[in-house]
Amino acid sequence: MSNIFPKWTNRLPLILTVGVLVAGACVVAGVTYYFTPKYTRVGYQPIQPVSFSHEIHSGQMGIDCRYCHNDVDKSWYSNIPSAETCMKCHSMVLAEDPRLEPIRKSFKENTPVPWVQIHKTPDYVYFNHAVHVNRGVSCVKCHGKVNEMDEVKHSKSLSMAFCLECHRNPHENVRPQSEVYNLNWEPSAEWDADREGQALVDKMKIRSSQNCSACHR
Amino acid sequence: MSKPFAIMAEYETPAETMAAAKKVHGEGYQKWDVHSPFPIHGMDEVMGLDNAKVGWFTFFGGGDWFYNGYGHDLFHEQI
Amino acid sequence: MKMNSKTGQVGNAVESRYWRSIGESMGEVEHPEWSDREFPEGASELPEDFSRRDFLKLMGASAGLAGAGMLGVGCRRPEELIVPFGAETSEGIHGQEYVHGVPMYFATAMPTRTGAIPLLAESNEGRPTKVSGNADCPASKGAANGFAYASILNLYDPDRARTYFKNGKEMSKADAVEQLKSLAQSEGRTAFLMPSANSPSRDRMIGLIKDRMGDRVEFYVHEAIDFGIHARAASKAFEQSITPVWKFEKAEVILSLDCDFMGTEEDSGLYTCDFTKNRKLASADDSMNRLYSVEGLLTQTGANADHRLRANASRIGAVAVYIASKLGVLSDANSQKLIQDLTQEQKHWIDACLEDFEANKGKGLVVAGYRQPEEVHILVHHINGILGNNGNTVEFIPVATEQFGTLKDLSEDLGKYDRVVNLGCNPIYDGGVDIGSKAIVDKTEFRLTYFKKDESHSSLGKPSTRLCINAPLAHYLESWGDARANDGTIVSIQPLIAPLFDAMSELEVLSIYASVNPDTYQSAYDIVKDTFSGDSWEHYLHQGYQEGSKSTPVTDLELSQEIPSIAYSTIPSKSVEVVFTRDYSVDDGRFANNGWCQEVPDPITKITWDNVMSVSRKTAEKLGLEHGKKAKLTVQGKSIEAPVWVQPGMSDNTVSLPLGYGREGDLRIANFEYEKRPLINNNFFGAKVIDVGGFNFYKLRSSGRNLDFGEIENTGEDYPLSSTQEHWSMEGRPIVREATLEEFRKSEKKRAKELGKEEYNEKHFFPDNLGLGSHARNEGEIYEHPYQERPTLKSDVNQWGMSIDLNSCMGCNDCVIACQSENNIPIVGKEQVANGREMHWLRIDRYYTGRNHNPKEKDSDGLPLIKKIKDQGQNGDDVQHAEEWIDDPQVVNMPMSCVHCENAPCESVCPVNATVHDDEGLNVMAYNRCVGTRYCSNNCAWKVRRFNYFDYNKRPLENLYESPLTKPALFLDWLSDREKPSKKEDEWDLLELAKNPQVSVRMRGVMEKCDYCSSRIQAAKINKKVKAGTGGDVMIKDADLKTACQSACSADAITFGNLLDKDSRVVEEKNNPRTYETLDFLDNGARTTYLAKVRNPNPKMPDSYEKPFSTKEYKATEGGHGDDHGAHKGHGHSHKEDNH
Amino acid sequence: MSESTVQPKVETHTPKELVRVPLVSNNRSFGWITNQVAGILEGKMPRWWNVAFAISFLVTMMCFTYIGYLILTGVGVWGLNHPVAWGWAIVNFVFWIGIGHAGTLISAVLFLLRQKWRTSINRTAEAMTIFAVICAGIFPGIHVGRVWFAYWLLPIPNANAIWPQFRSPLLWDVFAVSTYFTVSLLFWYMGLIPDLATIRDRLRKNASKCTTGFEKLVNRIKQYLYGLFSMGWIGSNRHWRNYEKAYLLLAGLSTPLVLSVHSIVSFDFAVSQLPGWHTTIFPPYFVAGAIFSGFGMVLTLMIPMRTIFNLEDIITIRHLELMCKVILATGSIVGYAYGMEFFIAWYGGNPYELYAFKNRAFGPYWWSYWIMISCNVISPQFFWFKWCRTTPWFIFIVSIFVNIGMWFERFVIVVTSLHRDYLPSSWGYYSPTQVDILTFVGTFGLFMVLFLLFVRYLPTICIFEVKSVTAQADPHTKEGGADKVEGGAH
């Protein structure tokens, strides 16, 4: 009766322990990256019905964000402009361009242009645009450098940890109210978050609550 | 006749086994062992084996757990 | 804008078709490089659709097993669209610039039988989601009632009529209008059958119709419960057509003769608001009014009376006569006969009460209820006259609408008419047994009906009645109109939404009939605009009322001399007196199909979904009736079987029959049917299939009759009832703390004298928990409170607190319905309520306390009373309905919701941090984090947490026990779309519109509770911060924020506010000496404190008491040993400033 | 003749040699012990085993269907309501965890106390512990409202940057029960290794007897599996040296578990503020109750097993008697605790506590309270009498009563305190539904399935430990061959 277990099985315990440790590490690393919003959301860049380029409009031409998203400082929902706003210029500029066909169709038939949504928080999260943009938090913090995007891309993870970063230290992310819609603004050399940033926070009495009641109700 | 690989002896009672083991250990053999269906009390001293290292493994295992659980909070300030 | 009007994030619509570009959708060839560059270079293809992000979309993922989700559901994130408006919305709605996401508020009003309740309607995303009282309107001072708050749900009732049809064939609105026009012009006499209303536009239209058609038209008004009695009686008494307007805030002493002016009278909200103005005690020298009540049933007003005399409803006339005779008005033979029937104590009681009235000449008020006959009302006017009250505490204003015939008149002279036009009545159901309503319905040629198929409709099936046009009736929130409020002010009714099912309003039908040339009939908007006689039409709509349209009270009040005599009647020996009453939950049946109304507990019996025959304990014993068992009641030869409920405080030989139940037709709530699924819904499975819907007592009632006599005998058949509070006694525990006015004043003087010594800072002298409070709050705290340990943890801007004044709370449940409407609280159905699973975040605890009742005492055979507890089924536990003390109890009401403790017991036991303490003092409940261990509910001493045992939002209430295991079809639906509800399609779409988008809808397995309307708190804070911009003025003041229950409470009993704002009302109330904290010995530091109830007994009354019964019960059980110890010795703690 | 002083007749009683009752009666040889225990596995299982296994397998499947139905429909299918939000599920959890406590005590504590009699019952007790903890582990899992998010209880880093709440006793339960399960499993498996080797060797020896190809294959597979799990044990003394040390350390480390696990389970109630729950007596009272019901279950299983597999000589009457003494002791502690709770409620003067206990005895659930008292306090008192302690059928009946009583004790604690607490307005009544009852019955099915598999495939008694406590195994005694060696027995 031959021996049941070959010789190498003696080293089995050693192989097992090392294998388990390595495999475990890989799984944990994989999950922390692939299964969190850092990966599942960042980089999502769907094709829009009209290839609207923020880079041209807000980057090169310097149109203010509130020209199109005019309700961003009044409501929790930053609205998408209707075709009427586009046609204010595009009735003359690029009047026959085939790419703007959906805009003209929408304007004529008064039907909405089916833009594809990119930034979306879950339904149980109540994010409010107005309170952020009116109090020194710029669009770039959450939407990234939109003025350099030819096609809008989901640049920040918008996970809870991401929001908590700002809420935990608002002084590092607040800027003067005048610079909120200037996406290229960078803190100058002598801008020290603990001094100027904290001054802004104290002046505006910013109480960025880290509590569930801030976003969930 | 080929060289014998090993010599084996079988005893009825644990006492005889211990006595035999004492002799073998006395003769200074290195590669030998005692097999028994149950642990025989006192056989380790007879075979001249030192203390089992399992104790140290357990101690260091415990230390590692303690560090991961509480240690790094207590000893280091907020890293 | 295509709105996926699911709650929460709005503006994105789930398009199930995935197409890549406009080209592909139009079939053109797409550019190759576009197709594969959906994702930037480098980022590999998205992994399997890891749908964690979608889990809680609308919080509705029913079975979100990630594993199962991987199977068939597409390998890519479903593309969601964010869709703008078709065109800019500068002109917006009603001329208001529409900003999506910001709720808009419009003033409107709910028409009632004798007037209207001015309302403020909140519109979210273009649809009304909530109504509350219009605080700016002087006529109502913000008061409304529960029916108004619940009426929002009727707008989205899936059982509403949706189409115009005749003889089973549907037709468009245009054809229906055409046929109506031809009807208007056709020959023959027409009779209009209308519900009663008090609207200037309607009167004008009726005038025009009469001018056009002369004697070929006649108008009849039908109301199952007639409140016109007040106007008719006053007009007869003063010989001029006037109607009384009660001014309770001016009255020091009030006597209610079977008049539930805070419950079932028409403007109960306004009267509660006025009455409770004089009950708010801030210090010893404040005065308080006093309420006497003489009634047969235990009503809400009687429950809050300082002195209550039980007298049969048929005896109330005798009481009035006795008072009149004492005042020297009446002394004929008939009245002497009536007076003999009164017992000696009743007479003694009335004498003492009369003395009090004479002491307060001109400051008293006697009122008679709608159930009393006309003669009693006239007598009451005479009594008020003699006591000098007329013109002071009760004013009289001219009656605007003329008197129309009743349904009885119509059924008598039906022959004269060729056709009947029914503008919304349901004679088959609530007409009455002596009315030939079948004949009236047969003659109806045009009918406005609110429901698809109700009682009057189902009888239309017969061929002879096929010629009637059925048109859907518009809800007041989708129609134009106006009305006169209680004091005559003209209020506007404006729609919040275009009619959902192309419905017609009453004015439109009248205007078609009134217009000479049928093609140019005025729209309702134009009619109301023409009727409006004020200066600015926009201002009228914006305010909701016409400035200065309040009618001036009549001054020359001269009573006619001859006083009609009251018919003498005694209860026949073996029979009982039967009283038909208006139900607190479903009115006369019009709210029977409203889920919120059916499920709000009755303020007195706490029963939901059913009506019961209430009898007193002695009557039950005498007639052998059993609590919770059915009994057969025969009145005028007709009989009905309904469950008996032994009700404390009922007068003997009286049976109360609440109307409005037992409805038939396609009414899924009023005529609720549990699905018979033997495998699941069987007794052994815990889901008893029980019948719901109550009993139709209209079958015993002849038209307009509120009082009758009948025989009742026990059938012993069991009928499961579901009540939300099964235990009546407070077991001697100091939960509701009371005192008499004298006690309060004496203690306040003592306190003022000793205030110098700082050790005596006993804020209140009420019995507390055996001095336990002082033990718990020992000085040396073992653990530093987190707020002291790290002061930055506590917000220095807002700290929330609430104070509820038990002296103003009348227990009317309006706040419960308002909270349900504001916070998307689901209804659960009768079987679940019987199982104790109702979801209301706010409940009113109603306890009875007995004059000499000691909860601890032994019963006759020496066993502690608890031992005799049989079973604790749903008809109330143990043997409380057979105990002596319940015959003449005192009643205390206590609104109870989360008290937001500082050291919250629920926070320390939640394993996943789903409930945490906010930096502003809120005990926050994060629904998306809760996994549902339910330990927080167990550890809460107030038991104010509610658990979603089933998916009450998405699963049909008829069969909550259904699952993909027992019905495979559900599994296939779930696979195709995880959000798919298994409720009926129409029910789901419509009820979804009633939800408030600012509050998340909770799914199955999640705990929920009152969070001080945190959506309103957040909205107020955000508005304040946006207004403050870069400034620092972010502290919330009283004007910025009101919780839903606070704005709903007509008695203004609930005060919520910012404790850091020194001049806020809540801080003022927390310093009121009556303030106390329930269960303070647990040291949880509740942020909701209560103001103790102070009763104002008249010492000269025979049933007077020097201590409220609850204090006596407290002393009898626990108070003995600790009371002196607890009450006088300083607690050693005063409301320390910081741990508010 | 001198008158002799009357010598008191002195009888010198040489003190009768106190013969220690042998742990293996009838002086059985090692071979007999091995054959007796290992023999159960090798032969074809008797017919009743297949029948019993089939029945309990069906009952287990029923349990899992009900659990599936519960998870797909909602916790509402149970009888839970407001205010009683915990019902049978938590009662069953505490009941099963309580049963699991005898195993650790026997294997760890009695080992440290050198109680030799534990050797013949420790493996079955540990097996029972593991199966009981498996059954207990189901309930916290399924009673949670949203089972698919129960993983939030684990302190793993997540994108929401929130940790579980470490002040909550439910979280402590997660740690305590999982630790307890792993340690018991480890202890049980370590004890098994030498015996698995024995079986592996017997299989090798019987390989030649197999006739048909199928039997050869089965034998070969068995050899492979037993070999794999015995991790190459050859019974050498070098192995024994590490083994002994490891066993001692493991026993030392897991002794605190006996007290800590059920204390933490009792914290689920003691940490709250409900009248009737918030008492400091709970930890010791629960631990005593756990050991009490643990030994109850051990006896319930051992008595039929020893007769069916005629192991009377190894599990002797003396073992049963000793276990009965433990039951008597812990039963009395539990009885004392009931009395003390009542006294403290009265003595403390807190009206709410007093009402809670009066309501237990006379309230709507009076019947469950009196069943508890009779089963837990009165039935163990029979063991004061020698006859009761030594007649197996009587012990079997009492052990059944013990576990019934302990289930009702948990029911009384959980439900009566919840259904009536501070505010009378929220008082309610709870009654279980079919899903409650049949899920609980189902877990007994699961327990029996696992136990039958254990009996079928693993040696139910620790062979080498039993041998090591017999006289023949002690080298210093006569039977151990000391006389055959010069230097003799000393």
Side-chain angles (χ1 to χ4, degrees), chain C residues 955-999:
Chain C
R955 295 225 171 136
L957 294 187
E958 308 85 59
N959 192 356
L960 289 165
Y961 286 82
E962 200 71 80
S963 84
L965 209 62
T966 48
K967 185 194 249 181
L970 284 179
F971 187 67
L972 302 177
D973 296 350
W974 180 78
L975 264 186
S976 60
D977 162 18
R978 233 168 293 140
E979 300 311 314
K980 190 163 184 333
S982 57
K983 247 188 170 113
K984 296 195 186 65
E985 202 50 43
D986 61 353
E987 197 172 325
W988 172 258
D989 291 344
L990 272 171
L991 290 182
E992 194 185 28
L993 293 176
K995 302 264 194 246
N996 174 359
Q998 293 309 321
V999 176

Side-chain angles (χ1 to χ4, degrees), chain D residues 416-428:
Chain D
T416 48
S417 281
L418 274 177
H419 95 115
R420 285 186 170 192
D421 64 345
Y422 289 110
L423 299 190
S425 65
S426 54
W427 287 1

Side-chain angles (χ1 to χ4, degrees), chain D residues 45 49 130 163 209 211 214 226 247 335 341 392 432 460 473 484:
Chain D
M45 257 307 164
W49 187 87
I130 291 161
W163 289 102
K209 287 208 207 68
T211 49
F214 174 70
Y226 281 103
Y247 203 87
E341 262 184 334
T460 50
K484 293 204 187 71

Side-chain angles (χ1 to χ4, degrees), chain C residues 1035-1057:
Chain C
M1035 175 182 269
I1036 298 291
K1037 297 282 189 296
D1038 271 1
D1040 308 328
L1041 172 63
K1042 268 194 163 192
T1043 60
C1045 50
Q1046 178 182 9
S1047 66
C1049 180
S1050 309
D1052 206 3
I1054 301 178
T1055 315
F1056 172 79

Side-chain angles (χ1 to χ4, degrees), chain C residues 806-988:
Chain C
L806 294 182
N807 212 14
S808 312
C809 168
M810 297 299 137
C812 61
N813 273 331
D814 290 359
C815 52
V816 174
I817 295 184
C819 173
Q820 183 151 27
S821 165
E822 171 78 16
N823 294 304
N824 304 338
I825 297 174
I827 60 168
V828 295
K830 171 178 176 181
E831 185 258 335
Q832 293 291 304
V833 172
N835 213 342
R837 294 176 178 170
E838 71 281 0
M839 293 300 287
H840 302 123
W841 288 4
L842 173 66
R843 63 171 193 263
I844 310 274
D845 290 347
R846 179 267 302 120
Y847 299 107
Y848 297 118
T849 51
R851 181 174 284 278
N852 29 43
H853 165 229
N854 166 7
K856 231 172 30 174
E857 110 242 315
K858 303 273 181 300
D859 68 349
S860 52
D861 48 23
L863 272 175
L865 202 55
I866 307 178
K867 176 73 189 62
K868 286 171 65 178
I869 292 153
K870 296 199 297 301
D871 66 320
Q872 186 160 8
Q874 76 288 355
N875 301 342
D877 63 359
D878 47 48
V879 288
Q880 60 190 1
H881 45 265
E883 288 162 4
E884 273 306 308
W885 59 275
I886 64 168
D887 289 351
D888 210 347
Q890 277 182 357
V891 181
V892 284
N893 285 306
M894 173 179 234
M896 181 55 69
S897 74
C898 175
V899 295
H900 290 266
C901 309
E902 298 282 350
N903 322 322
C906 51
E907 287 163 15
S908 58
V909 291
C910 170
V912 284
N913 267 331
T915 178
V916 287
H917 212 75
D918 169 308
D919 48 3
E920 294 185 348
L922 288 184
N923 177 274
V924 172
M925 184 67 215
Y927 304 118
N928 40 326
R929 177 73 182 172
C930 170
V931 289
T933 60
R934 307 184 295 282
Y935 196 169
C936 52
S937 162
N938 288 342
N939 206 19
C940 170
W942 286 263
K943 286 290 177 295
V944 285
R945 287 176 159 270
R946 295 293 183 255
F947 187 69
N948 286 279
Y949 279 107
F950 285 111
D951 210 330
Y952 296 118
N953 289 309
K954 285 171 53 123
R955 295 225 171 136
L957 294 187
E958 308 85 59
N959 192 356
L960 289 165
Y961 286 82
E962 200 71 80
S963 84
L965 209 62
T966 48
K967 185 194 249 181
L970 284 179
F971 187 67
L972 302 177
D973 296 350
W974 180 78
L975 264 186
S976 60
D977 162 18
R978 233 168 293 140
E979 300 311 314
K980 190 163 184 333
S982 57
K983 247 188 170 113
K984 296 195 186 65
E985 202 50 43
D986 61 353
E987 197 172 325
W988 172 258

Side-chain angles (χ1 to χ4, degrees), chain C residues 799-805 815 819 842 895-900 920-922 1010-1013 1017 1042-1047 1053-1059 1064-1067 1069-1070 1075-1077 1086-1091 1135 1140:
Chain C
Q799 284 298 330
W800 306 118
M802 178 182 272
S803 164
I804 298 179
D805 182 358
C815 52
C819 173
L842 173 66
M896 181 55 69
S897 74
C898 175
V899 295
H900 290 266
E920 294 185 348
L922 288 184
C1010 154
D1011 52 7
Y1012 276 166
C1013 281
I1017 292 177
K1042 268 194 163 192
T1043 60
C1045 50
Q1046 178 182 9
S1047 66
I1054 301 178
T1055 315
F1056 172 79
N1058 184 356
L1059 296 174
S1064 74
R1065 184 158 168 237
V1066 71
V1067 169
E1069 294 223 338
K1070 288 215 181 240
T1075 294
Y1076 76 97
E1077 197 184 302
R1087 278 289 179 94
T1088 302
T1089 54
Y1090 289 87
L1091 294 178
H1135 273 273
H1140 251 280

Side-chain angles (χ1 to χ4, degrees), chain D residues 277-310:
Chain D
W277 278 13
H278 184 52
T279 46
T280 49
I281 195 171
F282 262 34
Y285 159 42
F286 265 53
V287 169
I291 295 162
F292 178 55
S293 80
F295 273 91
M297 183 58 102
V298 167
L299 281 170
T300 316
L301 293 174
M302 285 289 188
I303 292 171
M305 203 175 73
R306 65 192 285 268
T307 45
I308 295 170
F309 297 116
N310 43 59

